[in-house]
Amino acid sequence: MGSVVGIRNRKKNKMATQGRNEKCWCGRGKKYKKCCGRFTLDEMMSKLSAYAAANKQKNKLIERSLKFLKACEIDGGDAFLVLVDPVAKNDIIDWTLVGGREVGNHVREALVTRRILAGCLPMFCLVKDKSAEWGWRGEIDATLVGEECRDEFIAFASLEGQVVAATLRGKMAKEDGWVTAIPWEDLSYPGMPLKPRPAGTIRIEVNIAKRTITIVSVPLRASIEIEFTPDHLTGDEVDDALFEARHVIEALRQVDPPKRLVDGDRVEIWRVVPDGEKRLLLSMTMPVTPWLTRNDFDVHGDEIAN
């Protein structure tokens, strides 16, 4: 697992299970039925969501969460803080993974701040550990929440830890646990200017037969499919694909950041042929600053001369 900042979602009704008479996975030495197994998932989430909503010291929780992550990065090793939204939306539980040595402090602070202000709780840290079965172990700091909900917090963190581990190891079915990209705006601190997007590859895939264009942004790890009308089609699929892609490029010059093209973006134009194969038509590095045309040169020259 490399340095990542990501969101993973899973269906609420898909949860890890444990035998009631087995030793509880939280590590406190009790049988599951007398420890974390005392609570249903709804009971845990209800208690924790009420606590998160009523918490008036979110700034302190943000600070302590970042310190917890830092403390888990023993001797410069990798660690990841997992924040979970205790309010399920459409039976989906969202959790956010923050950390990695390549992720700067400004990104960590921005993301942890946004998530906690939105009602998420810092549930546990994943710490790299070669002695553990799959190379990582979980660390829970129950003091991050008040005493009135610590039992539910530990139970929920232990449960989510099992689910997160299964997801990261590819043991969860794709329909039960999946990955989506962090919105770019979440990587900037609330109230501050949007973090500039680094240059990267933008793929424009034109399917003349289906009248669709797929725009894939590698830097944002996102894609979108749009339809176009056949009004300008000439029958020459290569020329038609280039024509439609040119309009997409012009639109990408004008949309709001972070989708807007930046200097150094590499734009690839692909044509999707009837059998589904993609053929590269053009690849170029885009200068966002417009080139000076001959007419522009003449105008500027006149101004300088005068």
Side-chain angles (χ1 to χ4, degrees):
M1 183 165 57
S3 298
V4 298
V5 177
I7 298 177
R8 288 169 174 80
N9 313 298
R10 63 124 174 150
K11 292 185 178 179
K12 178 183 172 184
N13 61 350
K14 298 294 183 179
M15 53 184 288
T17 58
Q18 181 177 10
R20 288 179 56 77
N21 289 314
E22 294 177 7
K23 186 176 292 187
C24 187
W25 52 31
C26 74
R28 289 185 287 182
K30 299 179 182 179
K31 289 185 177 180
Y32 178 68
K33 65 182 179 182
K34 293 184 177 181
C35 192
C36 294
R38 292 177 294 155
F39 311 107
T40 66
L41 181 60
D42 285 333
E43 287 172 341
M44 291 184 282
M45 296 181 70
S46 177
K47 189 69 172 284
L48 293 173
S49 61
Y51 173 82
N55 183 17
K56 303 298 184 183
Q57 297 182 324
K58 286 186 169 63
N59 286 337
K60 288 186 177 181
L61 182 57
I62 292 166
E63 182 180 344
R64 294 177 64 197
S65 299
L66 291 167
K67 286 183 177 179
F68 176 43
L69 173 58
K70 192 69 176 177
C72 288
E73 295 175 317
I74 303 172
D75 297 326
D78 270 335
F80 297 85
L81 177 67
V82 179
L83 300 106
V84 181
D85 187 349
V87 179
K89 300 175 179 65
N90 298 320
D91 285 335
I92 300 296
I93 297 175
D94 290 338
W95 49 273
T96 304
L97 190 71
V98 185
R101 287 173 290 179
E102 296 176 8
V103 178
N105 288 332
H106 61 291
V107 173
R108 296 181 181 199
E109 292 173 5
L111 196 49
V112 170
T113 298
R114 287 182 179 273
R115 291 293 178 265
I116 290 179
L117 291 180
C120 292
L121 291 173
M123 302 306 300
F124 57 92
C125 271
L126 287 175
V127 182
K128 195 167 187 178
D129 185 349
K130 294 182 179 179
S131 65
E133 180 182 356
W134 64 293
W136 297 80
R137 72 174 190 276
E139 292 283 346
I140 300 173
D141 183 357
T143 65
L144 289 172
V145 298
E147 293 183 6
E148 67 273 22
C149 64
R150 283 182 183 171
D151 284 345
E152 289 87 349
F153 178 84
I154 293 172
F156 189 57
S158 300
L159 171 63
E160 285 301 298
Q162 300 294 316
V163 174
V164 170
T167 304
L168 294 177
R169 298 172 69 188
K171 302 297 184 181
M172 291 282 285
K174 291 183 178 180
E175 63 271 17
D176 296 333
W178 59 93
V179 180
T180 56
I182 289 283
W184 189 259
E185 54 271 21
D186 285 4
L187 304 185
S188 297
Y189 200 80
M192 297 296 288
L194 193 65
K195 184 179 186 293
R197 175 176 69 76
T201 299
I202 311 297
R203 292 169 57 99
I204 301 174
E205 301 171 357
V206 184
N207 190 322
I208 298 296
K210 293 184 177 180
R211 310 288 193 267
T212 62
I213 300 174
T214 302
I215 306 167
V216 181
S217 174
V218 175
L220 298 179
R221 292 178 292 174
S223 64
I224 184 174
E225 184 178 278
I226 59 177
E227 297 180 355
F228 64 90
T229 62
D231 300 348
H232 303 290
L233 297 183
T234 65
D236 186 323
E237 290 202 1
V238 172
D239 283 347
D240 290 340
L242 292 172
F243 178 85
E244 298 297 336
R246 186 185 71 181
H247 286 281
V248 171
I249 292 172
E250 290 304 315
L252 290 175
R253 289 178 181 272
Q254 302 175 43
V255 297
D256 293 333
K259 295 179 182 178
R260 182 186 301 169
L261 289 175
V262 300
D263 279 314
D265 273 342
R266 186 163 191 82
V267 175
E268 297 178 352
I269 300 175
W270 295 74
R271 179 170 70 95
V272 182
V273 296
D275 63 1
E277 181 185 352
K278 298 174 184 177
R279 296 179 181 175
L280 181 64
L281 299 180
L282 184 64
S283 178
M284 55 187 172
T285 300
M286 296 297 298
V288 175
T289 305
W291 286 308
L292 199 63
T293 66
R294 177 64 185 174
N295 289 336
D296 290 332
F297 179 81
D298 291 338
V299 170
H300 289 298
D302 289 341
E303 290 174 354
I304 295 171
N306 292 330

